[in-house]
Amino acid sequence: RRKQRGFTLIEILIVITFFAAGAVVLLQIFSMGLYGSVDNENTMIATALAQEKMEEVRNVLYASVLPEVRAQVPNYTSFEREVLVAAPVSNLKQVTVNIYWNGKTGDVKISLVTYVSNII
């Protein structure tokens, strides 16, 4: 009898199964990483939008610092912005800028707070 060299059909099928399982795991990891990068990008955009509004608030007169209802941010259709203004003491306003967007777990919010005074 001659000893035959090579692989049997069963061995080849087992190797293909292992490679397929490994490929599925790698694709899941890549998709999770991709979704995570989108989440990070949305957080960065929201932070920049909140900072932009804070700069607007800082550059207007004290009397012009007014609240805004929650509404879509121009040019950013998936983000909404709201500005809350409170007066804890006279001649001082607490301004809170909230940015909302839809994330993996539902509505996500980022908030920035500043104070504006009317000191003459």
Side-chain angles (χ1 to χ4, degrees):
R1 232 186 208 200
R2 239 172 72 176
K3 186 174 180 182
Q4 294 183 354
R5 293 183 185 193
F7 299 105
T8 64
L9 183 58
I10 301 288
E11 291 170 332
I12 292 174
L13 289 176
I14 290 172
V15 169
I16 290 174
T17 303
F18 283 134
F19 278 131
V24 168
V25 169
L26 284 176
L27 289 175
Q28 287 177 341
I29 290 170
F30 287 139
S31 68
M32 287 176 11
L34 181 62
Y35 190 81
S37 69
V38 169
D39 227 13
N40 289 338
E41 180 180 359
N42 285 339
T43 302
M44 288 175 37
I45 291 170
T47 303
L49 291 171
Q51 287 175 342
E52 177 184 32
K53 188 61 180 178
M54 282 295 187
E55 290 300 320
E56 289 176 23
V57 166
R58 289 183 187 132
N59 291 318
V60 297
L61 296 173
Y62 179 81
S64 300
V65 177
L66 301 171
E68 295 178 10
V69 296
R70 184 174 171 173
Q72 184 179 11
V73 179
N75 301 323
Y76 293 91
T77 57
S78 55
F79 294 90
E80 295 179 341
R81 178 175 51 214
E82 148 185 77
V83 178
L84 305 173
V85 178
V89 295
S90 63
N91 294 324
L92 181 69
K93 291 183 179 179
Q94 177 183 348
V95 181
T96 305
V97 176
N98 296 321
I99 304 290
Y100 302 90
W101 72 96
N102 287 325
K104 182 179 175 182
T105 59
D107 237 11
V108 181
K109 176 177 91 168
I110 191 167
S111 298
L112 295 180
V113 178
T114 192
Y115 291 89
V116 180
S117 65
N118 190 22
I119 299 175
I120 299 173

